[in-house]
Amino acid sequence: AQSVAQPEDQVNVAEGNPLTVKCTYSVSGNPYLFWYVQYPNRGLQFLLKYITGDNLVKGSYGFEAEFNKSQTSFHLKKPSALVSDSALYFCAVRGPDRRSTLGRLYFGRGTQLTVWP
Amino acid sequence: KAGVTQTPRYLIKTRGQQVTLSCSPISGHRSVSWYQQTPGQGLQFLFEYFSETQRNKGNFPGRFSGRQFSNSRSEMNVSTLELGDSALYLCASSLISIQRGHNEQFFGPGTRLTVL
C-alpha cells in the first residue's frame, strides 16, 4: 500500500533560521513525491515535486526538498525561514504504475509550520 | 490563466438534505479530482474524472457521487447529508489524469460545507 507519514504535527522555528519539515513515504517501486502548502481558508498550493534525477529539488518561494531513497524520505527545507512561511504543509506521494487503478495522490496528515519573529 | 474556481465557497445544510458542489478547472486541464479535508481525517481522495469518465474512486459511500461535463467542469453531489460530512471539499485540476502521469495538481479554494 502507498502511504505518507509526516511525523511532526507542528514545527516551530525562529525567523531567519533554517527549517525542515519531515516526510517519509511507502510505495512499491520509484515514487513521485510532492509538497503542497495551505494557507488559512485557501486551497493547496504546489511547491515542488520529485520525479527522477537530482535528489535535491528546488521549488517555489525558496523551498527545496531532498529525496533519499534509502531512508524513503522527502524532507522539505528552507535555508532561512520567514514569518510569511507560517502555514500547513502537506507531503504527497503517487505510485509509479500507470496501469494501476490506484493512480492517485496520497497525502500526509500535514505539518503546521509556525515561524516566529 | 484563471485558477481553479469552486462554487459556492460556503454552504450550510441540515441532515438528510443533499448538496451539489461545482468546480471549474484551469483552462485546458482535463482531469478533475475531489478531496475531502477534515481535522480528524486529513485530506482524503474522493474521485477523479478525466474526459467525462470517473477514473478512480476513494473509499467513500455511494452517497458521494460526481460527474464531469464536456467542458471539463465537474460537480460532486452528496445525498442524505450526515453531520460527519461537514468538511472542506477541495477540487484539483491537472493537465492529464493522475493515473497516467506525474503532473502537479492545482487546487481551488474549496467549499466549506457545514451540516447541522
Side-chain angles (χ1 to χ4, degrees), chain A:
Chain A
Q2 298 169 38
S3 65
V4 174
Q6 293 181 242
E8 299 159 319
D9 291 336
Q10 188 132 9
V11 170
N12 299 310
V13 63
E15 188 173 34
N17 283 1
L19 71 87
T20 298
V21 182
K22 296 179 180 177
C23 171
T24 58
Y25 65 89
S26 174
V27 294
S28 54
N30 296 317
Y32 299 150
L33 294 156
F34 302 81
W35 274 102
Y36 287 84
V37 60
Q38 186 177 33
Y39 296 96
N41 299 315
R42 302 278 294 276
L44 277 68
Q45 295 178 33
F46 169 75
L47 281 178
L48 49 80
K49 66 181 179 183
Y50 172 82
I51 305 302
T52 186
D54 194 352
N55 289 345
L56 186 63
V57 179
K58 294 191 182 297
S60 307
Y61 313 118
F63 284 94
E64 56 190 27
E66 187 170 11
F67 172 67
N68 188 316
K69 189 172 184 178
S70 63
Q71 297 185 4
T72 62
S73 67
F74 189 55
H75 300 332
L76 181 70
K77 300 181 179 183
K78 188 173 182 180
S80 179
L82 299 172
V83 172
S84 57
D85 292 331
S86 297
L88 188 58
Y89 290 80
F90 290 94
C91 181
V93 65
R94 180 202 175 282
D97 185 354
R98 294 184 179 186
R99 294 183 300 276
S100 170
T101 58
L102 298 178
R104 69 180 74 162
L105 284 183
Y106 291 84
F107 283 87
R109 295 297 299 267
T111 298
Q112 180 65 48
L113 172 67
T114 300
V115 181
W116 39 277

Side-chain angles (χ1 to χ4, degrees), chain B residues 8-70:
Chain B
R9 291 293 310 277
Y10 301 92
L11 208 48
I12 299 175
K13 293 285 188 179
T14 57
R15 281 179 297 173
Q17 288 187 308
Q18 75 167 22
V19 66
T20 299
L21 312 181
S22 180
C23 171
S24 293
I26 291 173
S27 178
H29 285 194
R30 296 169 63 191
S31 165
V32 173
S33 297
W34 288 90
Y35 295 86
Q36 182 196 65
Q37 185 178 19
T38 59
Q41 299 298 319
L43 272 162
Q44 293 188 287
F45 173 79
L46 279 156
F47 27 64
E48 183 204 7
Y49 285 86
F50 182 79
S51 294
E52 302 177 65
T53 302
Q54 188 181 89
R55 295 303 179 103
N56 209 341
K57 191 177 190 305
N59 296 323
F60 279 82
R63 301 185 295 108
F64 292 82
S65 62
R67 60 177 174 169
Q68 186 180 34
F69 302 96
S70 57

